[in-house]
Amino acid sequence: MKILVTGGTGYIGSHTVVELQQKGYEVIIVDNLSNSDINVLSNIEKITGIRPEFEEFDLIDPKRTSEFFKKHNDIKAIIHFAAYKAVGESVENPLMYYGNNLYSLVNILKGMKESGIENFVFSSSCTVYGQPDELPVSEKAPIKKAMSPYGNTKQISEEIITDTINSNSQQLNAILLRYFNPIGANETALIGELPLGVPNNLMPFITQTVIGLREQLKVFGDDYQTPDGTAIRDYIHVVDLAKAHVVAVERLVADKCLKKPEIFNLGTGNGYSVLEVINSFEKVTGEKLNYKIVGRRPGDITKVWANPEFAEKVLGWKAEKGIDEMTFSAWEWEKAIAKNK
Ligand code: UD1
C-alpha cells in the first residue's frame, strides 16, 4: 500500500517514513529540501533496508503538484508534514508562511480530488489552543486566537480541511494530529532533528550547546507561575509521535474514521519545566550544560500539557517513552552528527 509523505526528509517526516516502512507500507516522499538534507534518504535506507521513492519539488507549484498526482493515483493515503515551522520567522515574514503553508495544502487537496485519493493526515499543533483555560488540554478545548502567523497557518489549514469535507465537493477522510513538543531521535542515531542555523527550540539548543556549537543556553524566564518558575511543556518522543501517524493511516484506510475530520492530541500527558528537561539531560548523559536565566521570550505561554486519553481510546495509541529516553536519544543524535562531519 503506497503512502505519500510530504516533508518526508524532515524531522518528524523521516521518523514517520521509518515507522511506515517497518510496518510494510510503501512510501513515496515529496520534499523540496528547503529545511532538510538529501542524505536522510540513505539513512532511512540504513535503518529499514528500503530506500523510499523520492521526488524533489515544491508543493506550492500547482502545475507540478497536479502532474505528480496524475502520475501517482495509486496513493492510498497522504501524511502532510511539508511546512515552515519557525514561530519567530513567521512573525517577521508572515506572507512567506501563509504563502507556503496554505498554497501547498490547497494544491494537495486539489490533487487528491483529481486523482480520487481520499485519506489525509495533517500535521497540526497544540499551538491552536494558545494558553488553555484548563489543563490537561483535551481536543474539546476552544481554539484561541493564534499568537503567530505560524500558529495561524495551522488553524487556517484545519479550517480549509474541514470546509473541504463539509462542502461535499470531494470524498475526503481526514485526521488532524495536534502535536505537543516533539524531541529526541531514532535509537540508531541515523536520523534526527537537523536545524538550519541557530535552533529556536529547546532540545536542539541544549545539545548544540553541550557539543560546543553554541556558547550558552538562555532559559527564557523563571518567573512563571510554575513550581520552579520556568515554563512547562508536554515533550513527546518523536518515535512515539511517528507511530501515531501509522495508526492514523491504518484507521483511515480501514474506513473507521467516524467524525470528519477526527482530531487527536498527541502528547504524553506529562508536563516538564525547562529546568526539569535540563536536569534529565544532565542526569542521563553525565554532561554539564552551560545555561543562564534570562527574560521571557515574547509569545511563550506558561504551561501546557495534553490529555491524551482520546487518542488512546480511539486510536489505541499511547506515548511510551519517558523524558530520560527523549533527552538521551537527542544527545546520541547530536554526537552522531558531530562524528559524521
Ligand atoms: C512552539 C509551539 C509549537 C510549535 C513550535 C515550533 C506552543 C505551545 N508550541 O513550541 O506548537 O510547533 O513552537 O517551533 O506554542 N526555551 C528556552 N530557551 C531556548 C529555547 C526554548 O528556555 O533557547 C524554552 C521556551 O521558552 C519554552 C520551552 O523551552 O518554554 C520549549 O520551547 P520550544 O522548544 O521553542 O517549543 P515551544 O515554544 O513550546
Side-chain angles (χ1 to χ4, degrees), residues 8-9 14 17-18 21-22 29 38-53 186 188 190-191:
T9 55
S14 59
V17 170
V18 165
Q21 288 185 328
Q22 286 177 338
I29 294 174
I38 189 74
N39 293 323
V40 168
L41 294 176
S42 309
N43 290 335
I44 290 174
E45 187 178 358
K46 279 185 202 147
I47 299 171
T48 65
I50 305 158
R51 191 175 183 87
E53 200 180 333
N186 186 279
T188 60
L190 284 163
I191 54 172

Side-chain angles (χ1 to χ4, degrees), residues 108-275:
I108 293 167
L109 292 174
K110 281 184 181 165
M112 290 175 74
K113 182 177 182 177
E114 282 165 14
S115 302
I117 302 166
E118 297 178 355
N119 300 316
F120 190 67
V121 179
F122 180 67
S123 164
S124 191
S125 167
C126 73
T127 193
V128 302
Y129 301 117
Q131 175 62 69
D133 302 322
E134 277 175 39
L135 289 170
V137 57
S138 84
E139 293 80 356
K140 294 200 180 81
I143 303 293
K144 295 264 179 84
K145 186 176 160 34
M147 302 220 272
S148 69
Y150 157 75
N152 208 18
T153 67
K154 292 297 174 194
Q155 293 190 4
I156 298 171
S157 294
E158 290 196 358
E159 287 172 2
I160 290 173
I161 295 162
T162 308
D163 288 346
T164 308
I165 292 169
N166 292 340
S167 71
N168 291 321
S169 57
Q170 70 193 78
Q171 181 58 38
L172 182 62
N173 309 317
I175 290 183
L176 314 180
L177 299 177
R178 293 179 179 159
Y179 314 150
F180 284 67
N181 288 55
I183 59 170
N186 186 279
E187 63 178 5
T188 60
L190 284 163
I191 54 172
E193 190 169 6
L194 264 180
L196 269 188
V198 184
N200 297 301
N201 297 110
L202 178 64
M203 199 66 236
F205 209 106
I206 291 177
T207 55
Q208 287 197 5
T209 305
V210 176
I211 208 92
L213 292 172
R214 313 276 155 218
E215 206 185 313
Q216 189 175 49
L217 172 83
K218 294 188 181 78
V219 173
F220 296 133
D222 69 347
D223 57 349
Y224 286 103
Q225 292 288 321
T226 61
D228 65 22
T230 62
I232 295 177
R233 299 287 183 271
D234 185 340
Y235 296 93
I236 173 169
H237 199 298
V238 68
V239 172
D240 276 332
L241 190 68
K243 286 181 175 158
H245 293 76
V246 180
V247 180
V249 163
E250 280 166 358
R251 181 169 175 83
L252 287 169
V253 169
D255 214 9
K256 287 190 181 149
C257 181
L258 299 177
K259 218 168 153 267
K260 293 178 179 175
E262 275 187 330
I263 300 175
F264 298 99
N265 283 346
L266 298 182
T268 65
N270 302 310
Y272 288 96
S273 73
V274 177
L275 291 180

Side-chain angles (χ1 to χ4, degrees), residues 44-103:
I44 290 174
E45 187 178 358
K46 279 185 202 147
I47 299 171
T48 65
I50 305 158
R51 191 175 183 87
E53 200 180 333
F54 174 70
E55 288 206 21
E56 181 184 346
F57 70 91
D58 206 323
L59 290 154
I60 67 168
D61 179 341
K63 198 161 156 273
R64 187 71 184 76
T65 306
S66 169
E67 280 164 11
F68 171 85
F69 279 106
K70 279 191 196 114
K71 194 165 97 192
H72 295 281
N73 58 4
D74 56 340
I75 289 168
K76 195 73 193 152
I78 297 171
I79 308 179
H80 178 42
F81 292 106
Y84 294 150
K85 59 167 188 178
V87 175
E89 186 181 52
S90 79
V91 175
E92 281 158 30
N93 202 343
L95 296 185
M96 174 182 164
Y97 272 68
Y98 289 114
N100 185 65
N101 293 5
L102 301 181
Y103 284 139

